[in-house]
Amino acid sequence: MNTGPPFSLPRMTAMVAWSQAFLREVLSSGDIAVDLTAGAGRDTLFLWRQVAPEGKILTFDIQEESLARTRALLDQADVPIHWLTPNNSALPAAGVYAVAACHSRLEDFLPAPPRAVIANLGFLPGGNSAVITRSETTIRALEASGRVLCRGGRLAVVAYPGHSGGREEEREVAAWFGGLPAATWSVLKLAAVNRPDAPTVLVAERRQ
Ligand SMILES: C[S@@+](CC[C@H](N)C(=O)[O-])C[C@H]1O[C@@H](n2cnc3c(N)ncnc32)[C@H](O)[C@@H]1O
């Protein structure tokens, strides 16, 4: 008989919910975490709720519209939000720090190793579908995440093969995860294998 605490799993093919569930397990109040793609702010808000009230979230996006939507969502939820520039990268207070820069520049802004990094690739839903994440900068952001993540920390990516360029990006991202050395990383891929255009989740944990 299972005597542990009650828990519920995400709906089977709800990939964003799975990516969040993998990170929830390792996050607690006071941690630092990173959202590589702020978008409409939902992953950022999720991360904040895991690390509040003492933690810090860095959230990156190259589109003003995305950061404005993220800000609106955070304001609605009364989350403290600050703006970060390379010359002002100290994080004095708890809250969310928005960064208007490419996620490949992660290391220019991070004050200390994060416990979790999330990325939801592709384009902003309801926004300009021509602005998409690109393999070259996505892989650079993943490499930077791999260098900075603390021991026991996790990196979760949702990749979308269904849009133009998305399949190549998903393939390159999966290859990057697959190349992480098994001695220091545990890696998992979740895919709806009977739906080739459906999003996939890749998760890596740096071993203790
Ligand atoms: C699918 S949306 C993210 C959804 C978001 N995580 C959420 O919870 O609402 C992808 C976002 O990635 C952003 N993006 C694309 N290339 C980027 C880059 N090089 N650096 C940072 N953000 C980027 C896009 O502007 C877009 O807002």
Side-chain angles (χ1 to χ4, degrees):
M1 190 178 77
N2 179 1
T3 54
F7 68 98
S8 61
L9 294 174
R11 186 167 56 77
M12 213 171 90
T13 56
M15 294 310 198
V16 171
W18 277 106
S19 70
Q20 295 178 349
F22 282 111
L23 300 192
R24 183 183 290 119
E25 265 196 336
V26 298
L27 285 171
S28 47
S29 176
D31 284 339
I32 295 177
V34 177
D35 185 350
L36 293 174
T37 55
R42 288 179 292 246
D43 290 317
T44 298
L45 181 58
F46 157 78
L47 290 175
W48 167 251
R49 287 183 168 147
Q50 312 316 304
V51 306
E54 302 292 334
K56 291 166 185 169
I57 306 297
L58 266 71
T59 189
F60 288 79
D61 211 291
I62 51 170
Q63 287 194 85
E64 257 178 46
E65 182 187 347
S66 302
L67 291 172
R69 280 172 64 175
T70 295
R71 175 176 209 154
L73 187 72
L74 297 176
D75 282 348
Q76 247 177 34
D78 276 333
V79 178
I81 180 161
H82 319 273
W83 297 87
L84 203 55
T85 62
N87 300 328
N88 164 31
S89 59
L91 312 185
V96 171
Y97 287 80
V99 191
C102 176
H103 41 217
S104 58
R105 296 185 54 208
L106 170 64
E107 287 159 300
D108 293 344
F109 296 90
L110 260 184
R115 181 156 293 276
V117 178
I118 200 164
N120 194 330
L121 303 178
F123 55 87
L124 177 67
N128 181 353
S129 60
V131 182
I132 55 173
T133 52
R134 311 245 166 219
S135 308
E136 193 199 328
T137 40
T138 300
I139 297 295
R140 276 169 32 211
L142 297 182
E143 285 168 351
S145 304
R147 285 192 291 272
V148 296
L149 205 63
C150 65
R151 285 173 190 266
R154 290 185 183 172
L155 162 65
V157 176
V158 182
Y160 297 82
H163 64 83
S164 171
R167 190 167 307 283
E168 294 71 27
E169 184 180 42
E170 197 265 348
R171 203 175 295 132
E172 288 188 40
V173 166
W176 182 83
F177 273 88
L180 289 171
T184 42
W185 292 90
S186 303
V187 179
L188 185 72
K189 178 176 178 181
L190 279 185
V193 291
N194 61 347
R195 292 169 59 216
D197 283 348
T200 59
V201 179
L202 289 133
V203 188
E205 179 180 291
R206 184 191 285 282
R207 290 171 180 253
Q208 294 288 351

